[in-house]
Amino acid sequence: MIKLADALAATAVALGMMGTLGGTAHAAPESARVVVDEARKQVAVVGHGTVSTAPDVMRLSAGVEVRGATAGKAFAAARGAAARLTNALIKAGVSVDDLTTNELSLGPEYETYPKVSGYRAAQGVEAIVRDLSKADRIIDAVAAIGEEVRLNGVSFEVSDPAKVMEGARAAAFKDAAIKAKQYAALAGRRLGEVVEISEEITGGPAPMMFTGALAQDKASVSPGRQTLGVNVRVVYALD
């Protein structure tokens, strides 16, 4: 008689090469992992499910950088440029509540250490853009500040990932159930009740760096689509 562990091990490689047809579930390398506990008569499988959706929020990282003969002059100039940057972002459509200072620095620059040649001051801001139709206009407004401005990049997010992930969880659980049922049948057992469920979220914001021509192209910024995925580990009893 074929033992449970032997039957499952013999089919693991073959099933690891199979994907789920249709729907949003896709096989992942880890979905072939099977853990059998013969003492407890359990089988653990990993199912994978993904959803593709269009991001609806953009995070823009920008800032200003100024050099001056003295620390006071450099800092004052940086603060003034940062105020212009903030005002430009607000006028372009970013809410005050969606602006966060993420850098504030001041330090010496050396001609030949320890001889100071001047001072560098910088201040950065992160802006959350909730209306993507304003994205290009906001970037253009930032670029228009002057030579002090720095555009560091953007990333796109889904504002309500919990709702989107419901579909991925359903697909992942279905993927796990199909695998577990087949393993049980191949081992001459019947799949029992679910004993344990755990998950791991995959995917996330995709950063994009700016090029020199980005602000000149009126259709330059596109959020594309973002893939969010779930790996769900399900432990079943074997009757």
Side-chain angles (χ1 to χ4, degrees):
M1 180 177 179
I2 299 176
K3 292 184 179 180
L4 176 61
D6 294 337
L8 291 173
T11 56
V13 175
L15 289 178
M17 299 299 292
M18 296 170 59
T20 301
L21 300 180
T24 56
H26 304 283
E30 61 268 26
S31 66
R33 188 175 69 245
V34 180
V35 179
V36 180
D37 188 332
E38 291 193 76
R40 296 182 181 180
K41 296 182 179 179
Q42 295 177 347
V43 58
V45 295
V46 176
H48 184 65
T50 61
V51 288
S52 178
T53 187
D56 56 356
V57 172
M58 181 180 81
R59 289 183 182 270
L60 182 147
S61 177
V64 295
E65 183 178 75
V66 177
R67 287 170 173 76
T70 67
K73 288 181 178 180
F75 191 70
R79 297 286 283 171
R84 295 197 303 274
L85 173 59
T86 298
N87 290 335
L89 288 167
I90 294 172
K91 289 180 180 179
V94 179
S95 170
V96 175
D97 294 335
D98 289 330
L99 292 173
T100 305
T101 300
N102 59 10
E103 178 190 2
L104 186 61
S105 63
L106 172 67
E109 292 189 326
Y110 300 96
E111 180 178 325
T112 301
Y113 188 83
K115 184 179 180 181
V116 176
S117 60
Y119 292 83
R120 172 192 173 276
Q123 184 167 334
V125 63
E126 180 184 74
I128 301 176
V129 180
R130 302 187 186 277
D131 183 353
L132 295 186
S133 67
K134 299 178 181 178
D136 284 298
R137 182 172 70 189
I138 290 170
I139 292 172
D140 288 343
V142 172
I145 295 300
E147 62 181 11
E148 305 97 337
V149 75
R150 300 290 182 269
L151 286 170
N152 300 319
V154 298
S155 63
F156 295 97
E157 302 174 5
V158 177
S159 61
D160 189 7
K163 184 176 181 180
V164 176
M165 291 307 297
E166 291 179 4
R169 289 191 181 96
F173 189 83
K174 181 179 180 180
D175 185 38
I178 291 172
K179 292 183 176 75
K181 185 177 181 179
Q182 185 175 11
Y183 276 118
L186 290 168
R189 299 296 185 92
R190 185 170 63 85
L191 196 64
E193 64 181 9
V194 174
V195 177
E196 181 183 337
I197 301 175
S198 59
E199 73 169 34
E200 176 187 351
I201 306 296
T202 61
M208 181 177 73
M209 302 310 293
F210 285 98
T211 64
L214 183 59
Q216 301 173 16
D217 182 0
K218 297 302 181 182
S220 61
V221 176
S222 173
R225 296 188 69 81
Q226 188 175 108
T227 299
L228 302 177
V230 169
N231 291 328
V232 60
R233 181 180 182 272
V234 186
V235 181
Y236 291 89
L238 289 173
D239 298 331

